[in-house]
Amino acid sequence: MVTEIRLATRGPIAEIVLDGPESRNALDAGSLRALAEAVSTVAEAVPDVRVLLIRGEGKVFCSGRDISAVDVETDDAHAFLAEVFTPIVQAIRGLSIPVVAQVQGAALGLGFGLAAAADIIYAAEDAKFGSPFAAIGAVLDSGAHHVFLDRVGYHRTMDLIVTGPAEAYAMEKGFVQRLADERPSFAEVLDAEAHLQETARRTPDYAEGFRAFQERRKPTFG
């Protein structure tokens, strides 16, 4: 159930489509590499291309990272985010043309980050944005800290976070307080999130959360 990345151009409009409805357009490393190539192709086509539309096939925009085959023991969360995902977000934000995200259904995790990187979001009535990482013992990433603090403020951001596992919450509190005080750049937040997620990966809650997802059961956190 690999999500295919399709790029089409109609006159001045380029369209990148996440095409993997069976996996809810989940993205693995291969899909992200293809997405990076598509964004690079669009950048090279400017000024003939004047706008980029990003959308997902099926009922959702993107359900996030495909963790169905991830081995928590050998996975490098920092490398995945810093070396694979972050460059795509930065490339989208760096395009000299308007980027529009067309969001229906869920835009979660990496999907949330992709949508947030766009200049304009057209959201359907059933669109849901978020990073529900509490269910897998992880912390927010994909720039979610920056977006949440900017849009809903410190207290609402913490309200969303404290419902997660204790280990993730303990790491999140100090991090969010620092972000609220220092207001680092979006790029700095992405880098910090990658390091924080790798720290979370080494916790029992993270391992339990991933295994529970893969085994299609509810996690039991310590």
Side-chain angles (χ1 to χ4, degrees):
M1 298 188 293
V2 176
T3 296
E4 179 185 356
I5 305 299
R6 296 192 283 108
L7 171 61
T9 303
R10 302 189 306 276
I13 302 173
E15 179 182 65
I16 293 178
V17 180
L18 315 181
D19 189 1
E22 291 185 355
S23 69
R24 294 166 56 86
N25 299 325
L27 300 169
D28 60 11
S31 298
L32 288 170
R33 283 191 289 270
L35 179 57
E37 292 177 6
V39 174
S40 178
T41 299
V42 171
E44 293 172 358
V46 175
D48 294 328
V49 168
R50 298 181 182 178
V51 63
L52 169 62
L53 172 67
I54 302 176
R55 67 176 183 86
E57 286 286 5
K59 297 181 179 180
V60 305
F61 175 72
C62 175
S63 60
R65 183 183 181 185
D66 183 354
I67 65 171
S68 60
V70 171
D71 183 346
V72 175
E73 297 299 323
T74 60
D75 185 44
D76 187 333
H78 176 267
F80 179 83
L81 291 170
E83 300 173 14
V84 181
F85 182 69
T86 293
I88 297 173
V89 172
Q90 298 291 52
I92 292 173
R93 287 167 57 89
L95 286 172
S96 60
I97 58 175
V99 179
V100 179
Q102 177 183 308
V103 178
Q104 77 282 3
L108 307 177
L110 302 187
F112 176 89
L114 288 178
D119 301 299
I120 300 170
I121 299 175
Y122 284 106
E125 290 186 359
D126 67 344
K128 295 182 180 179
F129 300 86
S131 295
F133 292 151
I136 56 173
V139 299
L140 302 180
D141 62 27
S142 309
H145 290 93
H146 186 279
V147 177
F148 286 173
L149 279 173
D150 182 59
R151 304 294 171 82
V152 301
Y154 173 81
H155 294 101
R156 180 56 178 152
T157 297
M158 287 305 302
D159 182 49
L160 294 171
I161 288 173
V162 296
T163 56
E167 288 182 289
Y169 165 67
M171 288 184 286
E172 289 273 26
K173 183 176 181 179
F175 182 58
V176 174
Q177 287 177 336
R178 180 168 68 84
L179 296 187
D181 290 339
E182 300 175 5
R183 291 291 177 172
S185 69
F186 187 70
E188 291 171 325
V189 172
L190 287 170
D191 180 64
E193 285 177 340
H195 285 286
L196 194 66
Q197 196 67 279
E198 175 58 18
T199 300
R201 183 192 66 81
R202 301 171 187 172
T203 67
D205 277 355
Y206 190 102
E208 166 61 12
F210 269 60
R211 293 193 183 103
F213 177 87
Q214 293 164 349
E215 296 169 6
R216 300 178 182 276
R217 60 175 173 80
K218 291 185 178 181
T220 303
F221 296 119

